[in-house]
Amino acid sequence: MSAVVSIRIKTDAAASLENGCLSVAPGSHLTEPLKERLAKGTEGGRPEFIQLRKPVWETNSAHRGRGPHQRREYEYLPLEVKKGTLILCHGNLMHASGANESDKGRMAYIFTIIDGSVDCPADAYLRPLDGDFLKL
């Protein structure tokens, strides 16, 4: 099980390649360690990726014995979905969004669940506005 899971619900017009829909690399959560994280940009700048000192691997049995030697290239699958679609993402799933080259928005509600034992850095890109997470 991942320490992080996100639930995304598409809230506006359909997501398409033209408006930069979410794309995922199927299977990447099983073979790739986390090597970097997204941090808030300095002085209100754009978010930036920061290299982790040590890659993070899952610890459950599905990941034992796997290592960087199994690295491979992934084909990203675009998730062109309708308004109201729910997408559940494992915390290690490699994902990306393209540029929105349309006149349509691409809004989604994203609910992220993080294991309470995980220490979240103060410069983490996704943080509540009041500065702390709600512990469940």
Side-chain angles (χ1 to χ4, degrees):
M1 168 156 244
S2 175
V4 178
V5 174
S6 69
I7 300 165
R8 300 159 185 255
I9 301 172
K10 184 71 176 137
T11 59
D12 63 358
S16 67
L17 288 172
E18 184 184 19
N19 69 1
C21 66
L22 180 68
S23 293
V24 298
S28 62
H29 66 293
L30 297 175
T31 60
E32 292 295 313
L34 294 177
K35 297 176 190 157
E36 56 189 12
R37 68 177 181 84
L38 193 58
K40 291 180 184 174
T42 57
E43 303 297 320
R46 296 184 61 122
E48 57 191 3
F49 283 98
I50 296 175
Q51 295 291 317
L52 298 175
R53 282 179 272 163
K54 181 179 176 186
V56 177
W57 281 93
E58 289 293 336
T59 57
N60 69 28
S61 61
H63 303 286
R64 286 193 191 117
R66 296 183 184 205
H69 62 281
Q70 293 183 332
R71 181 180 178 85
R72 65 184 179 102
E73 294 299 317
Y74 288 92
E75 183 175 330
Y76 279 76
L77 174 69
L79 301 180
E80 296 186 273
V81 299
K82 298 180 199 172
K83 178 179 180 177
T85 300
L86 183 140
I87 301 170
L88 182 64
C89 292
H90 185 282
N92 283 34
L93 181 68
M94 295 185 333
H95 59 282
S97 292
N100 186 348
E101 299 186 8
S102 75
D103 60 354
K104 301 173 186 163
R106 59 172 194 198
M107 300 294 291
Y109 176 77
I110 303 173
F111 182 74
T112 304
I113 302 166
I114 303 171
D115 184 307
S117 65
V118 172
D119 181 35
C120 188
D123 67 347
Y125 178 66
L126 296 175
R127 287 193 70 82
L129 293 176
D130 64 5
D132 208 357
F133 291 99
L134 174 65
K135 299 252 184 194
L136 301 177

